[in-house]
Amino acid sequence: QVQLVESGGGLVQAGGSLRLSCAASGGTFSSYNMGWFRQAPGKEREFVAAISWSAGNTYYADSVKGRFTISRDNAKNTVYLKMDGLKAEDTALYYCAADRTYYGYRPGHYDWWGQGTQVTVSS
């Protein structure tokens, strides 16, 4: 069983930056593909970014491309999401997810999920 714990969320002004972290335990983190998703009130969970197990591949939603950067440190069992140029529409609960085989944007394909960390961007 893999446990994922997100941190780093908070309240930030538009144009500001945050770095989210997701610490994994209970599995072989270096073999998992990882994703970040977000869900705003009244909306469906949406894909933000993904990174392959080796960090050789990354993939971003068009809405965050050029502003967000996903990375991972397999020695620390942690995946990061650096968010720059934040906008009010980035306000959401941010989740990280892990999967042994799937790498992509479909939330239903990920096996494990964290509880989320809230990001609020004031305009």
Side-chain angles (χ1 to χ4, degrees), residues 2-5 21-32 34 71-80 96:
V2 176
Q3 291 82 43
L4 303 173
V5 179
S21 300
C22 172
S25 61
T28 309
F29 176 78
S30 60
S31 67
Y32 300 144
M34 302 296 296
S71 62
R72 66 189 297 160
D73 185 338
N74 285 344
K76 295 183 178 180
N77 289 354
T78 302
V79 63
Y80 304 98
C96 69

PDB file of all heavy atoms in Angstrom, residues 2-5 21-32 34 71-80 96:
ATOM      1  N   VAL A   2       0.588   2.163  -0.903  1.00  0.00           N
ATOM      2  CA  VAL A   2       1.365   3.395  -1.018  1.00  0.00           C
ATOM      3  C   VAL A   2       0.599   4.520  -0.348  1.00  0.00           C
ATOM      4  O   VAL A   2      -0.596   4.694  -0.567  1.00  0.00           O
ATOM      5  CB  VAL A   2       1.612   3.730  -2.498  1.00  0.00           C
ATOM      6  CG1 VAL A   2       2.325   5.059  -2.631  1.00  0.00           C
ATOM      7  CG2 VAL A   2       2.427   2.614  -3.154  1.00  0.00           C
ATOM      8  N   GLN A   3       1.297   5.290   0.468  1.00  0.00           N
ATOM      9  CA  GLN A   3       0.699   6.479   1.074  1.00  0.00           C
ATOM     10  C   GLN A   3       1.349   7.717   0.461  1.00  0.00           C
ATOM     11  O   GLN A   3       2.573   7.781   0.315  1.00  0.00           O
ATOM     12  CB  GLN A   3       0.913   6.497   2.592  1.00  0.00           C
ATOM     13  CG  GLN A   3       0.141   5.435   3.350  1.00  0.00           C
ATOM     14  CD  GLN A   3       0.848   4.097   3.339  1.00  0.00           C
ATOM     15  OE1 GLN A   3       2.049   4.022   3.516  1.00  0.00           O
ATOM     16  NE2 GLN A   3       0.089   3.028   3.113  1.00  0.00           N
ATOM     17  N   LEU A   4       0.506   8.687   0.133  1.00  0.00           N
ATOM     18  CA  LEU A   4       0.966   9.939  -0.457  1.00  0.00           C
ATOM     19  C   LEU A   4       0.485  11.093   0.407  1.00  0.00           C
ATOM     20  O   LEU A   4      -0.704  11.153   0.750  1.00  0.00           O
ATOM     21  CB  LEU A   4       0.431  10.099  -1.882  1.00  0.00           C
ATOM     22  CG  LEU A   4       0.780   8.985  -2.874  1.00  0.00           C
ATOM     23  CD1 LEU A   4       0.036   9.191  -4.193  1.00  0.00           C
ATOM     24  CD2 LEU A   4       2.275   8.910  -3.118  1.00  0.00           C
ATOM     25  N   VAL A   5       1.392  12.002   0.738  1.00  0.00           N
ATOM     26  CA  VAL A   5       1.032  13.139   1.574  1.00  0.00           C
ATOM     27  C   VAL A   5       1.514  14.420   0.904  1.00  0.00           C
ATOM     28  O   VAL A   5       2.727  14.619   0.729  1.00  0.00           O
ATOM     29  CB  VAL A   5       1.643  13.024   2.982  1.00  0.00           C
ATOM     30  CG1 VAL A   5       1.269  14.246   3.816  1.00  0.00           C
ATOM     31  CG2 VAL A   5       1.177  11.742   3.669  1.00  0.00           C
ATOM     32  N   SER A  21       4.745  19.764  -2.539  1.00  0.00           N
ATOM     33  CA  SER A  21       5.504  18.532  -2.388  1.00  0.00           C
ATOM     34  C   SER A  21       4.542  17.386  -2.133  1.00  0.00           C
ATOM     35  O   SER A  21       3.475  17.575  -1.545  1.00  0.00           O
ATOM     36  CB  SER A  21       6.484  18.626  -1.214  1.00  0.00           C
ATOM     37  OG  SER A  21       7.409  19.671  -1.383  1.00  0.00           O
ATOM     38  N   CYS A  22       4.938  16.212  -2.549  1.00  0.00           N
ATOM     39  CA  CYS A  22       4.169  15.001  -2.297  1.00  0.00           C
ATOM     40  C   CYS A  22       5.147  13.920  -1.873  1.00  0.00           C
ATOM     41  O   CYS A  22       5.962  13.465  -2.674  1.00  0.00           O
ATOM     42  CB  CYS A  22       3.405  14.574  -3.541  1.00  0.00           C
ATOM     43  SG  CYS A  22       2.593  12.969  -3.408  1.00  0.00           S
ATOM     44  N   ALA A  23       5.072  13.545  -0.607  1.00  0.00           N
ATOM     45  CA  ALA A  23       5.972  12.532  -0.064  1.00  0.00           C
ATOM     46  C   ALA A  23       5.296  11.173  -0.100  1.00  0.00           C
ATOM     47  O   ALA A  23       4.147  11.030   0.331  1.00  0.00           O
ATOM     48  CB  ALA A  23       6.350  12.887   1.366  1.00  0.00           C
ATOM     49  N   ALA A  24       6.015  10.189  -0.604  1.00  0.00           N
ATOM     50  CA  ALA A  24       5.472   8.841  -0.749  1.00  0.00           C
ATOM     51  C   ALA A  24       6.132   7.887   0.238  1.00  0.00           C
ATOM     52  O   ALA A  24       7.318   8.014   0.547  1.00  0.00           O
ATOM     53  CB  ALA A  24       5.683   8.341  -2.168  1.00  0.00           C
ATOM     54  N   SER A  25       5.360   6.913   0.685  1.00  0.00           N
ATOM     55  CA  SER A  25       5.891   5.862   1.548  1.00  0.00           C
ATOM     56  C   SER A  25       5.124   4.572   1.295  1.00  0.00           C
ATOM     57  O   SER A  25       4.032   4.596   0.728  1.00  0.00           O
ATOM     58  CB  SER A  25       5.771   6.252   3.027  1.00  0.00           C
ATOM     59  OG  SER A  25       4.421   6.440   3.380  1.00  0.00           O
ATOM     60  N   GLY A  26       5.729   3.467   1.679  1.00  0.00           N
ATOM     61  CA  GLY A  26       5.049   2.188   1.591  1.00  0.00           C
ATOM     62  C   GLY A  26       5.183   1.481   0.263  1.00  0.00           C
ATOM     63  O   GLY A  26       4.511   0.481   0.032  1.00  0.00           O
ATOM     64  N   GLY A  27       5.991   1.985  -0.624  1.00  0.00           N
ATOM     65  CA  GLY A  27       6.160   1.333  -1.911  1.00  0.00           C
ATOM     66  C   GLY A  27       7.497   1.682  -2.520  1.00  0.00           C
ATOM     67  O   GLY A  27       8.358   2.255  -1.850  1.00  0.00           O
ATOM     68  N   THR A  28       7.677   1.306  -3.757  1.00  0.00           N
ATOM     69  CA  THR A  28       8.925   1.592  -4.465  1.00  0.00           C
ATOM     70  C   THR A  28       8.727   2.838  -5.314  1.00  0.00           C
ATOM     71  O   THR A  28       8.389   2.763  -6.505  1.00  0.00           O
ATOM     72  CB  THR A  28       9.349   0.396  -5.334  1.00  0.00           C
ATOM     73  OG1 THR A  28       9.353  -0.791  -4.556  1.00  0.00           O
ATOM     74  CG2 THR A  28      10.737   0.636  -5.918  1.00  0.00           C
ATOM     75  N   PHE A  29       8.935   3.979  -4.698  1.00  0.00           N
ATOM     76  CA  PHE A  29       8.616   5.255  -5.341  1.00  0.00           C
ATOM     77  C   PHE A  29       9.317   5.403  -6.686  1.00  0.00           C
ATOM     78  O   PHE A  29       8.727   5.898  -7.643  1.00  0.00           O
ATOM     79  CB  PHE A  29       9.021   6.392  -4.413  1.00  0.00           C
ATOM     80  CG  PHE A  29       8.819   7.758  -4.999  1.00  0.00           C
ATOM     81  CD1 PHE A  29       7.547   8.319  -5.048  1.00  0.00           C
ATOM     82  CD2 PHE A  29       9.885   8.484  -5.507  1.00  0.00           C
ATOM     83  CE1 PHE A  29       7.347   9.575  -5.590  1.00  0.00           C
ATOM     84  CE2 PHE A  29       9.699   9.741  -6.048  1.00  0.00           C
ATOM     85  CZ  PHE A  29       8.424  10.290  -6.086  1.00  0.00           C
ATOM     86  N   SER A  30      10.547   4.975  -6.768  1.00  0.00           N
ATOM     87  CA  SER A  30      11.328   5.194  -7.988  1.00  0.00           C
ATOM     88  C   SER A  30      10.774   4.448  -9.187  1.00  0.00           C
ATOM     89  O   SER A  30      11.169   4.720 -10.327  1.00  0.00           O
ATOM     90  CB  SER A  30      12.785   4.793  -7.764  1.00  0.00           C
ATOM     91  OG  SER A  30      12.866   3.421  -7.408  1.00  0.00           O
ATOM     92  N   SER A  31       9.843   3.524  -8.963  1.00  0.00           N
ATOM     93  CA  SER A  31       9.261   2.782 -10.081  1.00  0.00           C
ATOM     94  C   SER A  31       7.879   3.300 -10.487  1.00  0.00           C
ATOM     95  O   SER A  31       7.279   2.786 -11.430  1.00  0.00           O
ATOM     96  CB  SER A  31       9.158   1.294  -9.738  1.00  0.00           C
ATOM     97  OG  SER A  31       8.216   1.084  -8.699  1.00  0.00           O
ATOM     98  N   TYR A  32       7.380   4.314  -9.801  1.00  0.00           N
ATOM     99  CA  TYR A  32       6.031   4.813 -10.068  1.00  0.00           C
ATOM    100  C   TYR A  32       6.029   6.058 -10.940  1.00  0.00           C
ATOM    101  O   TYR A  32       6.840   6.962 -10.753  1.00  0.00           O
ATOM    102  CB  TYR A  32       5.319   5.156  -8.763  1.00  0.00           C
ATOM    103  CG  TYR A  32       5.161   4.015  -7.803  1.00  0.00           C
ATOM    104  CD1 TYR A  32       5.258   4.210  -6.442  1.00  0.00           C
ATOM    105  CD2 TYR A  32       4.902   2.731  -8.263  1.00  0.00           C
ATOM    106  CE1 TYR A  32       5.114   3.160  -5.554  1.00  0.00           C
ATOM    107  CE2 TYR A  32       4.756   1.674  -7.384  1.00  0.00           C
ATOM    108  CZ  TYR A  32       4.862   1.896  -6.031  1.00  0.00           C
ATOM    109  OH  TYR A  32       4.720   0.860  -5.159  1.00  0.00           O
ATOM    110  N   MET A  34       4.117   9.480 -11.653  1.00  0.00           N
ATOM    111  CA  MET A  34       3.420  10.363 -10.724  1.00  0.00           C
ATOM    112  C   MET A  34       2.655  11.447 -11.474  1.00  0.00           C
ATOM    113  O   MET A  34       3.091  11.904 -12.540  1.00  0.00           O
ATOM    114  CB  MET A  34       4.418  11.025  -9.778  1.00  0.00           C
ATOM    115  CG  MET A  34       5.261  10.067  -8.964  1.00  0.00           C
ATOM    116  SD  MET A  34       4.293   9.071  -7.820  1.00  0.00           S
ATOM    117  CE  MET A  34       3.646  10.343  -6.719  1.00  0.00           C
ATOM    118  N   SER A  71       8.667  17.883 -11.015  1.00  0.00           N
ATOM    119  CA  SER A  71       9.977  17.249 -10.875  1.00  0.00           C
ATOM    120  C   SER A  71       9.882  16.208  -9.771  1.00  0.00           C
ATOM    121  O   SER A  71       8.879  16.141  -9.052  1.00  0.00           O
ATOM    122  CB  SER A  71      11.064  18.279 -10.551  1.00  0.00           C
ATOM    123  OG  SER A  71      10.801  18.918  -9.317  1.00  0.00           O
ATOM    124  N   ARG A  72      10.917  15.403  -9.646  1.00  0.00           N
ATOM    125  CA  ARG A  72      10.917  14.382  -8.605  1.00  0.00           C
ATOM    126  C   ARG A  72      12.324  14.139  -8.110  1.00  0.00           C
ATOM    127  O   ARG A  72      13.301  14.337  -8.833  1.00  0.00           O
ATOM    128  CB  ARG A  72      10.303  13.081  -9.121  1.00  0.00           C
ATOM    129  CG  ARG A  72      11.085  12.384 -10.208  1.00  0.00           C
ATOM    130  CD  ARG A  72      10.283  11.222 -10.809  1.00  0.00           C
ATOM    131  NE  ARG A  72       9.992  10.197  -9.837  1.00  0.00           N
ATOM    132  CZ  ARG A  72       9.018   9.292  -9.968  1.00  0.00           C
ATOM    133  NH1 ARG A  72       8.237   9.315 -11.045  1.00  0.00           N
ATOM    134  NH2 ARG A  72       8.826   8.373  -9.043  1.00  0.00           N
ATOM    135  N   ASP A  73      12.403  13.682  -6.865  1.00  0.00           N
ATOM    136  CA  ASP A  73      13.665  13.293  -6.261  1.00  0.00           C
ATOM    137  C   ASP A  73      13.453  11.885  -5.732  1.00  0.00           C
ATOM    138  O   ASP A  73      12.854  11.700  -4.660  1.00  0.00           O
ATOM    139  CB  ASP A  73      14.045  14.267  -5.145  1.00  0.00           C
ATOM    140  CG  ASP A  73      15.420  13.981  -4.551  1.00  0.00           C
ATOM    141  OD1 ASP A  73      15.895  12.837  -4.685  1.00  0.00           O
ATOM    142  OD2 ASP A  73      15.993  14.877  -3.950  1.00  0.00           O
ATOM    143  N   ASN A  74      13.911  10.910  -6.468  1.00  0.00           N
ATOM    144  CA  ASN A  74      13.668   9.521  -6.078  1.00  0.00           C
ATOM    145  C   ASN A  74      14.419   9.140  -4.802  1.00  0.00           C
ATOM    146  O   ASN A  74      14.003   8.221  -4.093  1.00  0.00           O
ATOM    147  CB  ASN A  74      14.044   8.581  -7.212  1.00  0.00           C
ATOM    148  CG  ASN A  74      13.011   8.605  -8.340  1.00  0.00           C
ATOM    149  OD1 ASN A  74      11.894   9.093  -8.156  1.00  0.00           O
ATOM    150  ND2 ASN A  74      13.384   8.099  -9.501  1.00  0.00           N
ATOM    151  N   ALA A  75      15.501   9.842  -4.498  1.00  0.00           N
ATOM    152  CA  ALA A  75      16.225   9.569  -3.258  1.00  0.00           C
ATOM    153  C   ALA A  75      15.427  10.021  -2.033  1.00  0.00           C
ATOM    154  O   ALA A  75      15.590   9.481  -0.938  1.00  0.00           O
ATOM    155  CB  ALA A  75      17.573  10.257  -3.272  1.00  0.00           C
ATOM    156  N   LYS A  76      14.543  11.001  -2.242  1.00  0.00           N
ATOM    157  CA  LYS A  76      13.712  11.524  -1.145  1.00  0.00           C
ATOM    158  C   LYS A  76      12.274  11.043  -1.231  1.00  0.00           C
ATOM    159  O   LYS A  76      11.422  11.469  -0.440  1.00  0.00           O
ATOM    160  CB  LYS A  76      13.748  13.050  -1.148  1.00  0.00           C
ATOM    161  CG  LYS A  76      15.121  13.635  -0.850  1.00  0.00           C
ATOM    162  CD  LYS A  76      15.068  15.147  -0.797  1.00  0.00           C
ATOM    163  CE  LYS A  76      16.432  15.730  -0.441  1.00  0.00           C
ATOM    164  NZ  LYS A  76      16.403  17.213  -0.390  1.00  0.00           N
ATOM    165  N   ASN A  77      11.970  10.195  -2.218  1.00  0.00           N
ATOM    166  CA  ASN A  77      10.600   9.681  -2.391  1.00  0.00           C
ATOM    167  C   ASN A  77       9.588  10.818  -2.485  1.00  0.00           C
ATOM    168  O   ASN A  77       8.498  10.749  -1.904  1.00  0.00           O
ATOM    169  CB  ASN A  77      10.214   8.748  -1.236  1.00  0.00           C
ATOM    170  CG  ASN A  77      10.951   7.430  -1.282  1.00  0.00           C
ATOM    171  OD1 ASN A  77      11.685   7.138  -2.232  1.00  0.00           O
ATOM    172  ND2 ASN A  77      10.777   6.618  -0.259  1.00  0.00           N
ATOM    173  N   THR A  78       9.937  11.845  -3.222  1.00  0.00           N
ATOM    174  CA  THR A  78       9.107  13.041  -3.269  1.00  0.00           C
ATOM    175  C   THR A  78       8.972  13.547  -4.701  1.00  0.00           C
ATOM    176  O   THR A  78       9.937  13.537  -5.467  1.00  0.00           O
ATOM    177  CB  THR A  78       9.709  14.144  -2.385  1.00  0.00           C
ATOM    178  OG1 THR A  78       9.816  13.669  -1.043  1.00  0.00           O
ATOM    179  CG2 THR A  78       8.823  15.379  -2.389  1.00  0.00           C
ATOM    180  N   VAL A  79       7.766  13.982  -5.026  1.00  0.00           N
ATOM    181  CA  VAL A  79       7.508  14.658  -6.282  1.00  0.00           C
ATOM    182  C   VAL A  79       7.080  16.088  -5.963  1.00  0.00           C
ATOM    183  O   VAL A  79       6.439  16.338  -4.949  1.00  0.00           O
ATOM    184  CB  VAL A  79       6.441  13.915  -7.122  1.00  0.00           C
ATOM    185  CG1 VAL A  79       5.094  13.873  -6.416  1.00  0.00           C
ATOM    186  CG2 VAL A  79       6.309  14.526  -8.502  1.00  0.00           C
ATOM    187  N   TYR A  80       7.460  17.009  -6.836  1.00  0.00           N
ATOM    188  CA  TYR A  80       7.212  18.434  -6.604  1.00  0.00           C
ATOM    189  C   TYR A  80       6.394  19.026  -7.740  1.00  0.00           C
ATOM    190  O   TYR A  80       6.417  18.539  -8.866  1.00  0.00           O
ATOM    191  CB  TYR A  80       8.539  19.191  -6.510  1.00  0.00           C
ATOM    192  CG  TYR A  80       9.477  18.667  -5.454  1.00  0.00           C
ATOM    193  CD1 TYR A  80      10.505  17.792  -5.797  1.00  0.00           C
ATOM    194  CD2 TYR A  80       9.341  19.042  -4.129  1.00  0.00           C
ATOM    195  CE1 TYR A  80      11.378  17.302  -4.833  1.00  0.00           C
ATOM    196  CE2 TYR A  80      10.205  18.554  -3.155  1.00  0.00           C
ATOM    197  CZ  TYR A  80      11.217  17.686  -3.522  1.00  0.00           C
ATOM    198  OH  TYR A  80      12.079  17.198  -2.561  1.00  0.00           O
ATOM    199  N   CYS A  96      -1.750  14.687  -5.464  1.00  0.00           N
ATOM    200  CA  CYS A  96      -0.794  13.901  -6.221  1.00  0.00           C
ATOM    201  C   CYS A  96      -1.304  12.462  -6.306  1.00  0.00           C
ATOM    202  O   CYS A  96      -2.105  12.017  -5.481  1.00  0.00           O
ATOM    203  CB  CYS A  96       0.605  13.938  -5.625  1.00  0.00           C
ATOM    204  SG  CYS A  96       0.811  13.100  -4.052  1.00  0.00           S
TER     205      CYS A  96
END
